[in-house]
Amino acid sequence: MDSWLQENADHAHAYEACRQISNSVKLLASDPELRETLTPNAAPTQGRTTTVRRASFWGSLAASMVIASALGYRLMHYPESAPLTHAYSTAIGEQRTVELLDGSSAQLNTHTKLRMTVGAGYRRIDLEEGEAFFNVTKDPARPFSVLAMGHSVNAVGTEFNVHLQDDRATVIVLEGIVTVSSDGREPIRLTANQQLDFTRVGNVIGPVSVAQMGRALGWRDGKLSFDAASLGQVLKELNRYSPVPIVLTDQSLSSIQVSGEFETDSIESVLHALQTLFGLQVIRMPGYIEVSGGR
């Protein structure tokens, strides 16, 4: 078995899939009704019901074993027959870390949606919206790529962040090396502490710059950090986490500069700071929050 697992990365993934299914089957036995049904000394209160339950349990168990065996056989003997795909998402204000199909991990920021596909010779993430930080397991036989706005962010084993916002995307590398490529262009190489912006419209890309890691990746620790950011930018960022829209009614206030660090799960504290520091009014309306000048 050990030699078979080491022979090919797909074999290890097939074994893990079978192991997880086997664990799921074992959980059936912990069901209180099923345990009562399987207890030899249990007094049958309704003979017909007990018989049906026992039959139902063994039928479910048998079906699960057949599925596990069939899936395991397909993955072991035909690993290239069909790619595996799974979708991951977070709601507004939600953040969570997930284990991906290949064993890599992704930390999803608020309102994020992505889909992973793993096949023979590749691992692909389609980032549809939001932001995610990837910790990629090394597997040179299957390069890891994130598709965003027509560009491909490619890595073998590294840690990096991809953020989609409106018509622009930002890639930040925390560790290792990634390349960013698109049709007709030479790949651009990024190393640790570097970032690259690119757009959907006009296919504008670059240049590579030094990343402001604390501000850009503070969300991973539940922090929002602003350094002389405009009020318009601050409210735009808050709206990513707020369950109700925050609307600035007087655009002449948009250029007010805001600095500070706040918790992503405490929008109220940010709004209170805006009231205290700048004398702004925050009014909670039905379905939205209005920010306006002081009166």
Side-chain angles (χ1 to χ4, degrees):
M1 172 61 78
D2 289 340
S3 60
W4 179 81
L5 288 173
Q6 297 173 6
E7 182 180 300
N8 187 295
D10 287 316
H11 293 176
H13 297 306
Y15 175 80
E16 177 62 17
C18 291
R19 186 186 67 80
Q20 292 181 7
I21 292 175
S22 176
N23 289 340
S24 297
V25 171
K26 291 176 183 177
L27 290 177
L28 288 172
S30 64
D31 184 279
E33 290 190 24
L34 296 177
R35 291 185 63 180
E36 178 183 350
T37 300
L38 292 173
T39 303
N41 297 327
T45 55
Q46 295 179 347
R48 180 177 177 79
T49 302
T50 302
T51 302
V52 171
R53 285 179 178 173
R54 183 179 292 113
S56 175
F57 169 77
W58 289 114
S60 299
L61 182 61
S64 299
M65 293 301 290
V66 169
I67 291 172
S69 299
L71 178 61
Y73 183 85
R74 183 185 74 80
L75 290 173
M76 287 187 288
H77 296 279
Y78 304 100
E80 302 179 9
S81 61
L84 299 177
T85 301
H86 192 74
Y88 309 85
S89 64
T90 52
I92 293 177
E94 179 188 11
Q95 296 174 331
R96 68 188 181 106
T97 300
V98 298
E99 182 176 350
L100 301 174
L101 290 172
D102 68 325
S104 300
S105 66
Q107 187 175 355
L108 279 60
N109 201 358
T110 174
H111 201 201
T112 294
K113 183 184 299 183
L114 62 84
R115 183 177 67 257
M116 183 175 200
T117 304
V118 177
Y122 71 93
R123 296 174 287 169
R124 186 183 71 240
I125 297 286
D126 290 283
L127 183 58
E128 300 176 15
E129 61 181 330
E131 181 175 20
F133 181 88
F134 300 96
N135 189 335
V136 181
T137 59
K138 293 185 178 181
D139 186 355
R142 293 192 295 186
F144 187 102
S145 63
V146 177
L147 302 185
M149 292 190 179
H151 295 73
S152 178
V153 183
N154 312 295
V156 175
T158 186
E159 296 182 359
F160 64 99
N161 191 81
V162 183
H163 180 196
L164 300 186
Q165 42 190 332
D166 299 329
D167 64 343
R168 181 168 63 93
T170 301
V171 178
I172 294 177
V173 180
L174 181 62
E175 181 180 303
I177 300 172
V178 306
T179 61
V180 179
S181 59
S182 61
D183 293 340
R185 291 177 178 266
E186 287 292 323
I188 297 177
R189 184 174 182 268
L190 299 177
T191 57
N193 301 319
Q194 290 186 329
Q195 79 173 49
L196 179 69
D197 295 337
F198 52 85
T199 66
R200 186 196 312 274
V201 179
N203 196 26
V204 178
I205 187 170
V208 175
S209 60
V210 177
Q212 300 296 320
M213 305 300 282
R215 288 204 300 271
L217 300 183
W219 67 268
R220 299 183 59 217
D221 297 317
K223 306 289 185 182
L224 289 178
S225 180
F226 303 107
D227 182 12
S230 70
L231 178 61
Q233 292 174 319
V234 171
L235 295 184
K236 182 178 179 180
E237 187 68 10
L238 291 183
N239 272 314
R240 297 178 61 204
Y241 300 88
S242 176
V244 295
I246 303 172
V247 180
L248 181 63
T249 58
D250 184 353
Q251 293 304 313
S252 67
L253 303 173
S254 180
S255 60
I256 292 176
Q257 292 189 333
V258 180
S259 298
E261 184 175 275
F262 307 93
E263 304 289 335
T264 57
D265 60 355
S266 183
I267 301 299
E268 289 296 325
S269 67
V270 187
L271 296 176
H272 179 71
L274 295 178
Q275 287 179 297
T276 303
L277 297 175
F278 304 105
L280 301 178
Q281 277 203 334
V282 177
I283 304 174
R284 286 153 186 81
M285 307 293 287
Y288 69 98
I289 298 174
E290 178 182 294
V291 177
S292 60
R295 296 174 184 170

